[in-house]
Amino acid sequence: MKAIIMAGGEGSRLRPLTCDLPKPMVPIMNIPIMEHIINLLKKHGITEIGVTLMYLPQKIKDYFGNGSNFGVNITYFTEDTPLGTAGSVKNAEDFLDETFIVISGDSLTNMNITKAIEFHRMKNSKATLVLTRVDVPLEYGVVITDKSGAITGFLEKPSWGEVFSDTVNTGTYILEPEILKYLEKGKKVDFSQDLFPYLLLKKEPMYGYVMDDYWCDIGDLQAYLQAHYDVLEGKIQLDINGTEIQKGVWVGSGAIIEPGAILNPPCVIGDNCRIESGAVIDSLSVIGNNNVIERDSSVKRSVIWDGNYIEYGSEIRGAILCSKTNLKRYVHIFENAIVGDNCLINERVVIKPNIKIWPQKTVEPFAIVDRNIIWGSKHSKSIFGENGLSGIINVDISPEFATRLGAAYGSIFKKGSKVVVSSTTANSARMFKHAFISGILSVGVEVFNLSSLLTPLARHAINFLSVEGGIHIKLSEDNPNKLKVDFMDSKGASISRVTERKIENSFAREDFKRCSGDEVSRLNNITDFKNYYVRSILNEVNVEAIKNNPPKLCIVSPSDFVISIVVPMLTDLGCKVASFSSTNVSEVDTIVDEIKDNNASFAAFIDSNGETLVLIDKNGNVVKDDLFLCLTSLITFKSVPNSKVVVPITAPSIIETLAERYNGKVVRTKTSPQAVMEQMLNHNLFKNRENMYQFLLNFDAIAGLVKIIEFLCLQNTTLTETIKEIPDFYVSKKKIFCPWELKGRVMRTLITEKDQEKVELLDGVKFILENGWALVLPDADMPLCRVYSEGVTPEVAETISDKYIDKIKAIINDKK
């Protein structure tokens, strides 16, 4: 016997699941519905299969091919125009030379096809309809039969007043080929509305076989979810890909379930997923292949397709998530909501019940989605954020993206220019480094490929090699699945916003100036730059001063590579060094114990990228953030007579107090690190020693530590004594939600309705008060305003912050 699978439907009631996918390809338990049908046919010995196609036919052909991988032979029949259910089968008439079964490619069933065929033959039927009984038949075609099973009437989608039976048509038919003579080829004809009533009129033998097996018409989104629940609850037996690691929990090959992840049966995890510690996959959930679900996220009674990235703290309840969508932190999706393919749902978004979001949409942070998102798409050509470029590995930043970005970056230079490209030791960073390099080489720019480095080493290499710029790729400190990319100019500083826009425009246009084959430049591999870096640091310090009075200290870092640079260098300077690995600088008590155990004077914590330096003295004083900036300013003032210190506008005002004390000057800039660097490096990095001194102290943790040690030795003092020279200060840093469209109104209103405060507009709006100051700064990446303040006491600083938080709230609420 042969079979015809009707697979031409668009599945409009299943949208957005079927926006880019034919209905038979919608997955049930992580494989397409049609594959379940093929498995059912094969189980009953039917391997010669014809498939009728119309909507997105190539997607079905590409997946199933000729059927050999599924143990069947498939022949395809594609409609140019809709022919209806019967017309599509007539289109396959040459294939149908024996009794055949017609079955829908978009319903789920375990019907006993063999019994239905036996019934058909026993009755000598020309057309046998497979029927089932349902509680509410309003959405189906009702079929009326006599006691022998002979069909006596049809009623398509009746009202309650027309319900004469609970027996309905499942869309599965066993037919003799001669009935096709009643159909005209190329004409649109339907089985239930046209052909079967005509056969009834012609008194052709036609019967209904009532099955008691499972059948579910995947006609709408609720039925789609219910089909999964039915499988998990054992109402229909299907082959589930994966190993049952505990009763009711199936896990696919290559999946990583971290210790501390909770899997509550029944549930299914697909191939190559990663479920992080603290994540909860609750009962009646089906997770597809290649998904990442970060810590503290939870999924309950939901279906998630393939290739999604769900960041920590997100919750999905009774919803459907299609493929290649990224949920940022703390997203909440509620019952019967659907999110289509390739969407970006930003942090703290709430998607209310029954909401449908069509594919390729972006939802802004903090949005509450209470209506369907169908038309339009928020598209931004912006690649760079407030602090450069960052994104989730293989989600936001893929190898393809990296290659394009490399070409866009290289396109801002002249052919024959030279740049440095480096990365940390992480395999993912190395992978993307090579993708970037390929793009840069394709536009005729020469590349110096530096093996595993830290950000400060990359900055130094740019100057040492006299190149036009550089890229350094590293892992984010707060998320090991996130990459950050530093773009640097010819001075080793972060590139300006003007340069960022040039790269973004080149990336968006894709009009890269590709070079010919013989113009592809060299790839220069440099493997030992660490030694040049260490030598340059030592050339810039008073080695004898340190060796004559070497301190004892502890080095703390999560990076073995950092420790491998710092400890030998300090040891060569005569310092006594103890080192240990730690990722948490907040464990102050533990670090202080290490200081005391080693009889050290202080500890230095250096982050894994070699950029951030935090000092802890033996009394537990932690020098970081604003206090660290005050310390480096003090060191600069005392070490370089009449020096000029560059600090962001948010820095404490006691830096001006220190400047007056030591005849120095303070230059305030915008808050971004790039703006601070640009001011510090307004001359070549290694020709202006004053600016180099401050740059190293603030942006190179390793060189900065050596300079601080040098200062302590030359002054014959300790870190604890030096901290005491810094006057007390009190700052407050807060943030408040502010819709994107209201940021301009907020800033304008604050300025125009100010009291008697003096106002500065260097970055945001800064209000100068008698007892302190406040700065209101719109966030560039999120719908927030940040409020910084300083006061003569902690209470005053908090009061000032609250005053402007309340003002912002009033402006926002007034708009509402």
Side-chain angles (χ1 to χ4, degrees):
M1 178 175 280
K2 293 181 179 180
I4 289 287
I5 297 176
M6 291 185 291
E10 292 186 31
S12 57
R13 287 188 297 156
L14 279 180
R15 289 183 178 174
L17 306 188
T18 53
C19 287
D20 301 309
L21 199 66
K23 189 177 177 184
M25 292 301 295
V26 170
I28 296 283
M29 304 303 291
N30 295 335
I31 67 173
I33 304 174
M34 185 170 142
E35 188 172 341
H36 291 296
I37 296 299
I38 288 175
N39 290 338
L40 178 66
L41 292 169
K42 189 171 63 172
K43 178 181 176 182
H44 290 275
I46 301 172
T47 58
E48 291 293 327
I49 299 173
V51 178
T52 64
L53 304 173
M54 190 189 73
Y55 179 65
L56 301 175
Q58 199 59 43
K59 293 205 172 185
I60 294 177
K61 290 180 179 180
D62 289 344
Y63 184 87
F64 290 102
N66 62 11
S68 58
N69 291 336
F70 301 87
V72 296
N73 297 315
I74 295 179
T75 305
Y76 296 102
F77 302 94
T78 304
E79 304 166 39
D80 295 326
T81 58
L83 296 175
T85 53
S88 65
V89 174
K90 175 72 173 181
N91 196 41
E93 185 173 17
D94 294 341
F95 173 74
L96 301 170
D97 53 3
E98 58 181 294
T99 305
F100 61 94
I101 182 171
V102 175
I103 190 167
S104 172
D106 52 24
S107 61
L108 188 65
T109 181
N110 62 350
M111 72 173 65
N112 191 324
I113 293 175
T114 301
K115 277 190 177 181
I117 293 170
E118 290 172 354
F119 176 89
H120 173 81
R121 288 174 174 159
M122 180 183 70
K123 297 292 185 178
N124 292 314
S125 177
K126 295 291 185 184
T128 296
L129 283 65
V130 178
L131 311 176
T132 191
R133 292 192 169 95
V134 297
D135 293 333
V136 182
L138 301 182
E139 292 300 316
Y140 304 100
V142 171
V143 180
I144 304 169
T145 61
D146 63 17
K147 291 182 180 179
S148 70
I151 292 173
T152 60
F154 299 96
L155 193 60
E156 191 68 21
K157 296 185 179 178
S159 66
W160 275 118
E162 299 172 316
V163 172
F164 304 115
S165 171
D166 63 353
T167 308
V168 300
N169 181 4
T170 67
T172 299
Y173 317 121
I174 301 164
L175 306 173
E176 296 300 323
E178 53 261 36
I179 70 157
L180 297 177
K181 69 185 180 184
Y182 292 110
L183 301 173
E184 182 180 341
K185 195 160 190 174
K187 185 178 179 181
K188 185 177 182 180
V189 187
D190 187 76
F191 276 120
S192 57
Q193 295 182 24
D194 302 310
L195 179 61
F196 293 151
Y198 186 75
L199 292 179
L200 191 63
L201 184 66
K202 288 291 185 179
K203 299 189 180 334
E204 291 280 8
M206 188 166 48
Y207 287 81
Y209 169 76
V210 181
M211 71 171 188
D212 55 9
D213 305 300
Y214 179 90
W215 175 79
C216 179
D217 173 32
I218 313 295
D220 57 32
L221 295 164
Q222 188 56 51
Y224 177 74
L225 278 173
Q226 189 61 49
H228 285 85
Y229 302 157
D230 290 345
V231 175
L232 290 171
E233 291 174 338
K235 294 179 181 178
I236 174 175
Q237 298 298 316
L238 294 181
D239 294 331
I240 297 176
N241 290 333
T243 302
E244 194 171 8
I245 62 171
Q246 67 183 72
K247 185 171 178 56
V249 176
W250 290 267
V251 175
S253 63
I256 298 172
I257 312 296
E258 293 186 357
I262 299 172
L263 308 182
N264 292 325
C267 65
V268 174
I269 312 294
D271 296 343
N272 305 312
C273 289
R274 185 171 79 252
I275 313 298
E276 293 189 353
S277 179
V280 178
I281 308 302
D282 220 330
S283 57
L284 299 178
S285 295
V286 177
I287 312 298
N289 304 318
N290 305 307
N291 290 292
V292 176
I293 300 178
E294 288 192 345
R295 65 190 186 278
D296 299 329
S297 294
S298 65
V299 180
K300 186 173 185 177
R301 296 178 63 88
S302 297
V303 176
I304 295 175
W305 291 7
D306 297 341
N308 296 289
Y309 199 103
I310 299 168
E311 298 188 29
Y312 66 81
S314 293
E315 294 184 356
I316 306 174
R317 298 286 182 268
I320 304 169
L321 193 63
C322 295
S323 297
K324 298 179 182 176
T325 280
N326 180 199
L327 304 189
K328 295 297 183 181
R329 304 172 182 179
Y330 301 108
V331 170
H332 291 73
I333 306 178
F334 291 106
E335 285 76 10
N336 300 318
I338 319 292
V339 180
D341 290 341
N342 294 292
C343 287
L344 173 61
I345 312 299
N346 277 294
E347 49 273 347
R348 297 188 185 275
V349 164
V350 175
I351 300 176
K352 290 193 170 182
N354 303 307
I355 294 301
K356 300 178 181 66
I357 298 177
W358 257 238
Q360 300 177 7
K361 300 293 182 287
T362 296
V363 181
E364 292 292 358
F366 294 88
I368 297 176
V369 184
D370 57 3
R371 64 194 65 185
N372 295 342
I373 301 177
I374 300 173
W375 304 111
S377 171
K378 182 186 181 304
H379 173 74
S380 173
K381 67 177 183 177
S382 176
I383 297 172
F384 295 91
E386 183 71 14
N387 294 306
L389 186 152
S390 63
I392 300 295
I393 298 165
N394 284 330
V395 177
D396 303 315
I397 302 181
S398 66
E400 299 86 354
F401 173 90
T403 304
R404 283 180 59 204
L405 188 58
Y409 175 65
S411 294
I412 71 172
F413 300 108
K414 296 177 181 178
K415 285 184 181 178
S417 297
K418 300 175 182 179
V419 297
V420 162
V421 182
S422 63
S423 72
T424 59
T425 56
N427 288 334
S428 55
R430 288 172 173 167
M431 174 176 71
F432 287 104
K433 176 179 72 171
H434 291 295
F436 276 115
I437 288 173
S438 296
I440 295 170
L441 291 173
S442 72
V443 294
V445 172
E446 188 174 346
V447 174
F448 289 90
N449 172 32
L450 275 65
S451 59
S452 305
L453 287 186
L454 307 172
T455 303
L457 277 74
R459 296 190 191 280
H460 187 86
I462 288 171
N463 282 275
F464 184 84
L465 297 168
S466 297
V467 298
E468 280 76 16
I471 291 174
H472 181 70
I473 306 152
K474 60 192 178 187
L475 290 184
S476 170
E477 285 290 311
D478 61 354
N479 186 345
N481 297 311
K482 192 173 187 178
L483 283 179
K484 299 191 75 174
V485 185
D486 291 330
F487 286 76
M488 294 165 274
D489 62 18
S490 60
K491 295 177 287 190
S494 298
I495 59 174
S496 67
R497 184 62 189 129
V498 172
T499 305
E500 287 179 349
R501 288 195 185 98
K502 287 181 181 179
I503 297 170
E504 287 172 342
N505 290 336
S506 177
F507 184 89
R509 293 193 307 266
E510 292 196 50
D511 55 351
F512 311 135
K513 303 169 186 175
R514 303 286 189 186
C515 63
S516 62
D518 59 356
E519 291 178 313
V520 174
S521 297
R522 294 175 54 190
L523 176 60
N524 308 286
N525 295 305
I526 300 176
T527 59
D528 58 349
F529 191 78
K530 178 174 71 172
N531 297 328
Y532 293 104
Y533 171 72
V534 170
R535 197 177 308 140
S536 73
I537 292 175
L538 298 180
N539 287 340
E540 294 296 331
V541 297
N542 188 329
V543 174
E544 290 304 313
I546 298 175
K547 286 186 174 181
N548 290 337
N549 189 21
K552 293 180 180 179
L553 69 157
C554 296
I555 299 297
V556 188
S557 178
S559 168
D560 292 338
F561 185 61
V562 168
I563 291 173
S564 73
I565 296 174
V566 177
V567 172
M569 179 171 59
L570 295 181
T571 302
D572 288 345
L573 287 169
C575 300
K576 293 184 179 180
V577 184
S579 64
F580 61 98
S581 178
S582 175
T583 59
N584 193 355
V585 71
S586 63
E587 295 175 347
V588 176
D589 291 342
T590 302
I591 296 174
V592 170
D593 288 342
E594 290 286 343
I595 294 171
K596 291 178 180 178
D597 290 345
N598 291 281
N599 194 27
S601 58
F602 68 94
F605 178 92
I606 300 175
D607 75 316
S608 59
N609 291 317
E611 294 176 281
T612 303
L613 176 63
V614 177
L615 303 176
I616 303 101
D617 74 0
K618 57 187 176 184
N619 296 328
N621 295 311
V622 180
V623 184
K624 65 177 182 178
D625 301 332
D626 288 330
L627 182 56
F628 185 84
L629 184 58
C630 293
L631 175 67
T632 59
S633 298
L634 174 63
I635 291 173
T636 304
F637 289 139
K638 294 184 73 171
S639 301
V640 183
N642 304 312
S643 57
K644 178 177 65 178
V645 162
V646 178
V647 297
I649 193 173
T650 54
S653 56
I654 57 108
I655 295 178
E656 275 83 1
T657 304
L658 294 172
E660 290 177 14
R661 185 186 301 173
Y662 296 103
N663 297 316
K665 293 182 180 179
V666 178
V667 176
R668 289 189 174 259
T669 74
K670 294 184 177 181
T671 55
S672 69
Q674 183 275 327
V676 177
M677 287 184 195
E678 189 174 24
Q679 282 288 345
M680 287 182 179
L681 303 178
N682 50 13
H683 302 289
N684 183 278
L685 179 60
F686 293 104
K687 290 181 181 177
N688 188 317
R689 293 179 58 83
E690 176 188 331
N691 288 347
M692 180 198 72
Y693 193 85
Q694 194 188 359
F695 178 86
L696 295 179
L697 283 170
N698 288 279
F699 293 104
D700 184 335
I702 297 172
L705 174 60
V706 176
K707 299 298 290 183
I708 291 171
I709 292 171
E710 176 195 40
F711 170 82
L712 297 175
C713 292
L714 286 170
Q715 297 285 326
N716 193 26
T717 188
T718 65
L719 177 64
T720 302
E721 291 301 315
T722 305
I723 295 171
K724 290 178 181 177
E725 295 185 48
I726 301 171
D728 291 337
F729 61 91
Y730 308 101
V731 297
S732 171
K733 299 178 182 180
K734 295 185 177 182
K735 59 188 177 183
I736 178 174
F737 170 70
C738 180
W740 293 100
E741 65 273 15
L742 294 185
K743 286 183 178 180
R745 173 188 287 266
V746 165
M747 302 304 285
R748 172 175 56 79
T749 306
L750 286 174
I751 294 170
T752 56
E753 296 182 3
K754 65 182 178 66
D755 297 326
Q756 301 301 315
E757 309 103 321
K758 179 183 175 184
V759 171
E760 294 179 359
L761 302 176
L762 174 62
D763 197 13
V765 53
K766 188 173 185 178
F767 300 93
I768 311 300
L769 312 172
E770 289 184 2
N771 55 355
W773 55 263
L775 173 73
V776 179
L777 184 65
D779 190 279
D781 298 324
M782 299 176 67
L784 299 172
C785 280
R786 299 188 182 275
V787 179
Y788 303 85
S789 66
E790 183 178 12
V792 294
T793 67
E795 294 76 18
V796 169
E798 289 296 313
T799 301
I800 294 172
S801 283
D802 291 340
K803 172 184 176 181
Y804 288 94
I805 290 284
D806 290 342
K807 283 189 172 187
I808 295 168
K809 284 180 181 177
I811 297 167
I812 294 171
N813 292 333
D814 181 60
K815 174 61 179 174
K816 291 179 179 177

